[in-house]
Amino acid sequence: MKIVTVVGARPQFIKAAAVSRAIRGDAAGRVQEVLVHTGQHYDSNMSAVFFEELGIPAPAHHLEISGGGHGAMTGRMLQALEAVLADEKPDWVLVYGDTNSTLAAALAAVKMHIPLAHVEAGLRSFNMRMPEEVNRIVADRVSTLLFCPTQVAVENLRNEGMTHGVHLVGDVMFDVSLYYRDLARRSSDAVQRFGLEEGGYVLTTCHRAENTDDPVRLASILGALGELAEELPVVLPVHPRTRNIIRERGMADVLGKVRVVDPLSFMDMVRLEQSARVVVTDSGGVQKEAFFYQVPCVTMRDETEWTETVDLGWNQLVGADRGRIVAAVRGARPPAGPEARPYGDGAASQAILQKLLG
């Protein structure tokens, strides 16, 4: 069996690492995986270093497509992927998450009548202004196999009339967290390198267009981080696009004492997530990673796909309101009660492999 796996962004590299490891570990060698990197994240800190640290095989095809608007980027990816699929003639196309790379690969596969498998199917924010929401809905609709990380995702698909090919497998990100958490503690010196103390700092990320492209929301977020940085260290790894927006709008001074750093390697990010007092983010993946490492999270969005993290008390939704962000961070504490595992048992990758094999 031949599978073409299409990735293009940091979260997808991480998820693909787990499933690719399961494929390579299949003693019978029943699957040949052909990895395609669209190039959506092209900076070395956002791309190459993840392949190295995660042990992902080098892509067989690197499309080097990045930049431009959603339509232009997706269209260029679709054209290039059609050529790759025509050449490779796979039995399956495998996609992850909700990026433009996911959408382009899904459209290419279905138009060429190649079965599509979607990892992280069924997630919904119910906010159609999010490009990611559109991407994931389209990918789900044209998929043959829908691999859901949670029961909530299964129910979302059922409510939309999709039940055939739907499988609750657990979250591959949980697989990743179990595999790399101890390794990151041994291999990364990020806490010491940035002069931090265990449990004594805030780790934050901000990259979603709803925040970075709205001057009012962005100013409020940066102001909150600057205020918090007066009380304890705040580390902000900055996406290249976000850095450019902050500079162009003259907002850098609002950050005050925030420690702005370049995008982190995977191991450094995992190390800092585990040891933070609080994680502040607008990323879907980072919300979950904080939950996996039992670190309170404050999410700078008005909704989340990962409702379990909120329901269990590990995550607070605060939007982009400066006062709410600051108050939530100051009051963040681990919730009382027994540990819950809504994202499976850490064997999602193996479950996905078995379903693909039929």
Side-chain angles (χ1 to χ4, degrees), residues 5 141 252:
T5 296
R141 183 59 63 178

Side-chain angles (χ1 to χ4, degrees), residues 209-327:
E210 65 193 79
N211 287 329
T212 60
D213 293 359
D214 184 325
V216 175
R217 289 179 72 96
L218 184 60
S220 179
I221 288 170
L222 299 183
L225 299 179
E227 184 175 342
L228 289 166
E230 295 292 332
E231 304 172 16
L232 74 169
V234 176
V235 180
L236 173 62
V238 178
H239 189 288
R241 179 176 179 275
T242 306
R243 184 186 290 274
N244 290 336
I245 292 172
I246 291 172
R247 183 178 62 250
E248 290 168 1
R249 292 182 179 161
M251 293 182 174
D253 291 344
V254 181
L255 285 164
K257 297 179 180 178
V258 172
R259 303 181 189 186
V260 179
V261 302
D262 288 335
L264 298 172
S265 71
F266 175 73
M267 292 297 184
D268 281 350
M269 189 66 180
V270 169
R271 182 71 181 88
L272 291 181
E273 286 172 340
Q274 292 183 78
S275 297
R277 179 185 299 180
V278 185
V279 169
V280 180
T281 188
D282 60 5
S283 161
V286 174
Q287 290 175 56
K288 275 192 305 174
E289 288 163 357
F291 175 80
F292 296 152
Y293 300 129
Q294 303 285 275
V295 174
C297 184
V298 174
T299 296
M300 300 180 295
R301 288 172 55 190
D302 301 313
E303 69 285 309
T304 180
E305 304 82 6
W306 305 108
T307 55
E308 302 84 4
T309 64
V310 177
D311 295 341
L312 293 169
W314 284 98
N315 191 8
Q316 302 177 69
L317 294 177
V318 295
D321 183 271
R322 175 172 177 166
R324 291 177 66 196
I325 295 169
V326 171

Side-chain angles (χ1 to χ4, degrees), residues 26-50:
D26 178 37
R30 292 168 289 179
V31 179
Q32 175 192 359
E33 183 181 35
V34 177
L35 194 65
V36 179
H37 183 359
T38 65
Q40 185 169 338
H41 277 176
Y42 56 89
D43 182 273
S44 62
N45 284 339
M46 301 294 289
S47 179
V49 70
F50 281 84

Side-chain angles (χ1 to χ4, degrees), residues 122-130 132-134 136-137 152-153 155-157 159-160 301 303-305 307:
L123 298 187
R124 297 291 182 269
S125 67
F126 303 101
N127 178 3
M128 290 298 290
R129 293 181 60 84
M130 290 175 57
E132 297 88 350
E133 184 78 350
V134 177
R136 62 173 70 107
I137 288 173
V152 170
E155 295 301 324
N156 288 338
L157 292 174
N159 291 338
E160 295 174 15
R301 288 172 55 190
E303 69 285 309
T304 180
E305 304 82 6
T307 55

Side-chain angles (χ1 to χ4, degrees), residues 134-173:
V134 177
N135 293 347
R136 62 173 70 107
I137 288 173
V138 173
D140 283 345
R141 183 59 63 178
V142 299
S143 291
T144 304
L145 288 176
L146 300 104
F147 296 127
C148 296
T150 65
Q151 186 60 43
V152 170
V154 173
E155 295 301 324
N156 288 338
L157 292 174
R158 180 177 289 115
N159 291 338
E160 295 174 15
M162 287 182 280
T163 56
H164 183 69
V166 175
H167 301 281
L168 176 60
V169 297
D171 195 325
V172 294
M173 288 288 287

